[in-house]
Amino acid sequence: MRRFVALIVPLWVSMCVAASAQSLPIALTTDPPPDRAHPAAMVTMLVPSNGTQLNAIMYIAAGAGPHPAIVLLHGFPGNEKNLDLAQAMRRAGWNVLYFNYRGSWGTPGAFSFTHTLEDTKAAIDLLRNPSNAAELRTDPKRIVLIGHSLGGFIAAYTAAHDESILGVGLISAANLGGMSAAQGPEPVAVPRLSATFTNEGMEPLSGCTADSLARETVTHRAQWNFNDYASELAERPVLIVTSDDGLAGHGRVLASALHGKGSTLVTEKHFATDHSYSADRLALEATVLNWLATLPQKPNSSGHRNVIERQHTNHMSSTVATWMKPIH
């Protein structure tokens, strides 16, 4: 027993130190009290998106709710899914929707960056559908986007085009348009980007090639530079987490752009670790949980819809979850 304690105490101390002196959220270590009437749950579902069904998992927090919701967006190709973070956020009272984009990780269809943006909008529409919101004990007016790497770009793009998103969390966000522009003119950029995508790993993706993704990125480089979204994001909380993975500069430039637009709602945190935050998982979770605790308790006050929301209004009837079952 003494040997066990001798091992556990240093581990606990190191976890506290790794949290970098920030307050340690209770949800990091403690399950909430059980609620027999409305227990925590995990359900699988298919999210309808442009004729394709996206494989998805919903983590539902304990309690009657309605709970605020997070759409958790994975990167390229998505080896790090951050599902430990999803569990921690659920313990803190948030519902979390995780899904795989078209053409990734067994979801049917063709993968493309354009499709990831469309699929994310479809996931948000599903959560805003009144029937789904009631079934999932979710508050459709309190939705946060948290994305890792490519998912960070998707989160920034989507929130910039949807003013009802409550806040945006970016973990090693990759500025897709900025990366493309930095590679030079198209004849040079396409092979360079293609090599980058190949090195990242194309095996979990279908219906695309590294070359097709490179050409798509170059075509949309002017629209996909998230530094240009600073005006749209400046009035909402934005968490920017970076690491020693070569993408930290992307986050710093975006933070600077947000400050330049007068934002006082930017939270920055850097970890001296790799792209998957392998050495700082608990500290990453603590950072995200502490940030979530600062978000407004009420939805944004603006009542008018934005362009993307109007474009998808006529598709709302198709956003009911087509299949759902608890995972035991």
Side-chain angles (χ1 to χ4, degrees), residues 138 163 201 218 230 268 274 294 300 305:
T138 294
E163 62 191 14
V218 171
E268 297 180 71
D274 63 5
T294 69
N300 296 335
R305 293 177 170 183

Side-chain angles (χ1 to χ4, degrees), residues 24 39 66 86 278:
L24 203 62
S278 301

Side-chain angles (χ1 to χ4, degrees), residues 71 73 101 117 120 124 144-163 165 167-171 173-176 223-234 236-240 250-251 254 258 308:
V71 179
L73 302 163
Y101 316 113
L117 299 175
T120 300
I124 295 169
V144 171
L145 305 180
I146 295 180
H148 184 198
S149 195
L150 169 65
F153 161 75
I154 297 168
Y157 177 94
T158 303
H161 292 78
D162 185 341
E163 62 191 14
I165 295 299
V168 186
L170 309 179
I171 303 171
N175 185 0
L176 206 56
Q223 296 81 34
W224 289 353
N225 189 325
F226 63 35
N227 298 325
D228 296 334
Y229 310 155
S231 294
E232 289 78 12
L233 299 176
R236 281 172 287 175
V238 177
L239 172 66
I240 298 177
H250 297 208
L254 177 58
L258 289 166
I308 283 187

